[in-house]
Amino acid sequence: MLKVENINSFYDRTQVLRDFSLSAEAGRVLCVMGRNGAGKTTVLKSIMGLIRPHSGRVIIDGTDIAPLQAEEAPRHGIGYVPQGRRLFSELSVADNIEIGLMARGSGQDVRERVLDFFPVLRERFYQRAGTLSGGEQQMLAIARALCLDPCVLLLDEPTEGLMPAMIARIGEVVLKLKSHGVAVILVEQRVDAVLRIADRVLFVENGRSRETVEAEVLRKTPEMLERYLGVGQ
Amino acid sequence: MDFGPYLLLATLEGAVGAAVLALTALGLALVFGVMRIVNVAHGAFFMLGAIIAWWVADRLGVGSALNFLAALIIAPLAVGAVAVVAERSVLRRLNYNPESTIVATIGLLYVIEQVALMTYGPDARPVVAPWDFRIQLPWFGYSGYKILVIGASIAILLAVWWGLTRTRIGLMMRATQFDSETARAFAIPVDLVYGGVFAFGAMLAAVGAVLVVPIQQAHYLMGTDPLLLSFIVVIVGGLGSLRGTVLAAVIIGLSDGIISVFFTPTLAKIIATLAVATILIVRPRGLFGTRPT
């Protein structure tokens, strides 16, 4: 569904990703893990075209979108939930949802489906996004991305700063999306959350994709976490 | 004339100034708000609007009303086209860097002023008002055209507000204003929005100039005062706040007009500058400025 092949990405003159590759499949959750500064967020930004890779390919449904403008990624059905939510906080919930719908010309049926997913957003529909609680903001960030009716969803640390109940709720949402056939790429630091919802885990080290492991294997051999993250389960 | 009617006259004069200032400052505020660019060439776009209006009216010669209407359409479009060329050829190449674009727009200001001097010349020239009628009040008669300027400005401001808050293009502009990177992640063509906003900001200045040129005359240096007052308005209103900009334009335009009538225009500018200093001490982010998130 989505393939990243040997991309090299830079911030100014500093190379962050080196020959980085991954593949995401429909109905499966790929979790990208690594130490701070390993390049996880840069992977997602490079897929979205927010950082244009200097070389390599980002292929979705046979089209290489790496050389295209950043606006092309959402048009090809890639939804993005950035780190820190990055809502349009001065705009209303309704406006944030509308921006998601506009990205791919989605209809009102998509909007209703997304709001059914997150009923609390219906109650807060005309409220300013910046006034929502942290958990509600994260739901809105995910809802906004789902308004694209995406085939691939990129989530950058969606559980950051949230209470356990909300983390569990986000886990449920990811599993539900997976059951709907969405390919999910999740950047996450919380090992417990990852082991609960991921199908595969890709370890990143110094901007390189090191090893992809089935989550089942990782649950049985937690020492791999020690090797790449410096933590045990 | 008694004090009451004199104050009314001064207030009307101030309202005309505020109406034109609101349009000009709104253009500057939009460009700063969405693109984070301090457009020092904004006054030059204002001047260019007035000069093109004179040129259109002079060449057309089909009667003052039609001349003026043609100028009101052609001048903002022509200024918008110049702004698009400047945005594509200069600002985009500088990657909209805040510091570099200040220097670039200073250069643009000089280029436009010198081209105007070389082609239009140093003379001040009027455009005849489209309608010559006076509204007779019990104490004095007042230009109907000036009332029209106030009405037109209010109508344009309402249209801009409607466009920004009720249309998809407005939503794209506001999203770009708050977070351009996230806007790109939702297929908003940010480069196109930047080009459109820069052109639209310049066009608002040009509309203000066309409205004022039957009152003030077109001159190649006429952009300086509107530029300085617009900067004052945008700072007092709160950087990036459109409603703050309009409110500040009304306050500063009215005070400028009233003090100019009762005392001198120079004193009006001094008081406006002192007001800015005072507001910035009390409210460093202006009347409606918000903390960056």
Side-chain angles (χ1 to χ4, degrees):
Chain A
M1 182 161 273
L2 175 83
K3 273 196 168 185
V4 174
E5 294 179 351
N6 301 313
I7 56 169
N8 289 280
S9 295
F10 294 72
Y11 283 114
D12 293 324
R13 289 179 185 170
T14 309
Q15 184 164 9
V16 181
L17 297 184
R18 294 175 171 80
D19 292 323
F20 189 96
S21 299
L22 65 76
S23 70
E25 296 156 19
R28 300 201 79 194
V29 178
L30 171 70
C31 184
V32 179
M33 294 190 88
R35 292 173 197 262
N36 285 340
K40 305 182 294 291
T41 293
T42 310
V43 172
L44 301 192
K45 287 193 171 186
S46 298
I47 293 171
M48 290 303 296
L50 299 173
I51 295 170
R52 183 98 51 101
H54 280 217
S55 59
R57 305 201 300 168
V58 177
I59 300 165
I60 177 146
D61 291 333
T63 307
D64 180 13
I65 59 169
L68 305 179
Q69 292 291 326
E71 295 94 73
E72 288 303 316
R75 288 184 189 135
H76 280 81
I78 306 179
Y80 180 44
V81 181
Q83 187 176 22
R85 296 146 203 159
R86 301 281 289 267
L87 293 172
F88 301 109
S89 54
E90 295 292 317
L91 303 183
S92 66
V93 171
D95 284 340
N96 275 275
I97 294 282
E98 182 63 27
I99 286 166
L101 293 170
M102 280 183 342
R104 244 182 134 195
S106 307
Q108 296 307 308
D109 55 323
V110 175
R111 186 182 78 165
E112 291 307 308
R113 204 164 64 219
V114 168
L115 290 176
D116 287 344
F117 230 55
F118 302 104
V120 69
L121 296 180
R122 213 187 276 281
E123 293 164 25
R124 307 264 191 273
F125 206 54
Y126 297 105
Q127 198 170 316
R128 203 161 58 82
T131 63
L132 300 179
S133 71
E136 288 167 348
Q137 288 192 13
Q138 190 61 61
M139 284 186 199
L140 178 56
I142 297 173
R144 183 179 61 178
L146 293 184
C147 283
L148 274 73
D149 201 8
C151 46
V152 179
L153 183 65
L154 313 182
L155 293 154
D156 197 349
E157 304 212 15
T159 65
E160 192 180 27
L162 298 184
M163 293 189 307
M166 194 52 68
I167 293 171
R169 173 82 182 108
I170 286 170
E172 287 168 21
V173 169
V174 171
L175 292 174
K176 201 165 179 181
L177 291 171
K178 178 179 146 176
S179 70
H180 281 76
V182 176
V184 178
I185 300 178
L186 173 70
V187 166
E188 185 53 73
Q189 300 267 32
R190 297 181 64 93
V191 175
D192 54 338
V194 168
L195 292 180
R196 200 166 58 247
I197 58 178
D199 293 298
R200 292 179 303 146
V201 177
L202 166 64
F203 290 102
V204 185
E205 205 173 46
N206 296 325
R208 293 181 193 276
S209 39
R210 286 294 184 198
E211 192 174 359
T212 305
V213 185
E214 290 294 323
E216 194 58 40
V217 174
L218 203 57
R219 283 181 204 112
K220 290 172 186 164
T221 52
E223 56 272 18
M224 290 190 78
L225 293 166
E226 178 76 36
R227 193 191 325 156
Y228 286 111
L229 308 177
V231 293
Q233 192 182 352
Chain B
M1 198 185 293
D2 291 337
F3 177 75
Y6 201 45
L7 181 64
L8 176 63
L9 176 66
T11 306
L12 284 170
E13 286 296 301
V16 175
V20 175
L21 181 58
L23 289 177
T24 313
L26 185 64
L28 192 69
L30 269 175
V31 169
F32 180 80
V34 177
M35 303 171 74
R36 301 285 151 192
I37 282 177
V38 177
N39 179 18
V40 184
H42 197 65
F45 289 136
F46 180 90
M47 173 272 290
L48 201 57
I51 285 177
I52 293 172
W54 173 84
W55 186 82
V56 170
D58 185 60
R59 292 299 143 105
L60 215 57
V62 289
S64 55
L66 282 178
N67 285 346
F68 182 81
L69 278 177
L72 195 57
I73 294 165
I74 294 170
L77 287 176
V79 170
V82 172
V84 165
V85 171
E87 193 271 338
R88 297 283 116 146
S89 58
V90 181
L91 303 182
R92 185 178 288 194
R93 283 167 196 266
L94 295 172
N95 207 22
Y96 308 106
N97 176 278
E99 290 85 16
S100 308
T101 50
I102 290 177
V103 179
T105 53
I106 290 172
L108 192 60
L109 161 78
Y110 284 131
V111 168
I112 294 173
E113 276 187 357
Q114 287 309 304
V115 169
L117 178 62
M118 285 158 56
T119 54
Y120 174 83
D123 302 329
R125 298 174 180 134
V127 170
V128 179
W131 298 281
D132 183 22
F133 68 99
R134 293 180 76 74
I135 295 172
Q136 195 56 48
L137 299 171
W139 316 278
F140 55 85
Y142 196 72
S143 161
Y145 175 73
K146 287 185 177 178
I147 299 293
L148 193 102
V149 168
I150 298 170
S153 174
I154 291 170
I156 292 167
L157 291 173
L158 287 173
V160 172
W161 172 80
W162 182 85
L164 283 172
T165 57
R166 297 283 185 272
T167 66
R168 287 188 162 194
I169 291 174
L171 186 55
M172 285 184 187
M173 283 168 60
R174 286 185 293 149
T176 304
Q177 172 180 1
F178 296 128
D179 188 339
S180 60
E181 185 180 89
T182 307
R184 276 184 210 276
F186 286 88
I188 292 176
V190 169
D191 289 342
L192 214 60
V193 171
Y194 281 171
V197 165
F198 196 71
F200 187 62
M203 288 169 79
L204 278 174
V207 169
V210 178
L211 289 174
V212 87
V213 83
I215 303 167
Q216 263 192 9
Q217 301 197 3
H219 184 261
Y220 84 104
L221 290 176
M222 71 184 293
T224 311
D225 265 7
L227 176 70
L228 293 178
L229 280 175
S230 294
F231 273 131
I232 289 172
V233 162
V234 170
I235 293 167
V236 169
L239 292 173
S241 165
L242 301 186
R243 89 188 145 141
T245 298
V246 172
L247 182 66
V250 171
I251 293 170
I252 289 172
L254 276 175
S255 69
D256 190 69
I258 292 169
I259 296 167
S260 295
V261 169
F262 276 99
F263 302 100
T264 65
T266 308
L267 182 66
K269 300 287 182 296
I270 292 170
I271 289 176
T273 311
L274 285 175
V276 172
T278 310
I279 286 172
L280 290 183
I281 291 167
V282 180
R283 288 182 67 91
R285 293 180 190 281
L287 296 176
F288 288 93
T290 52
R291 289 180 182 282
T293 51

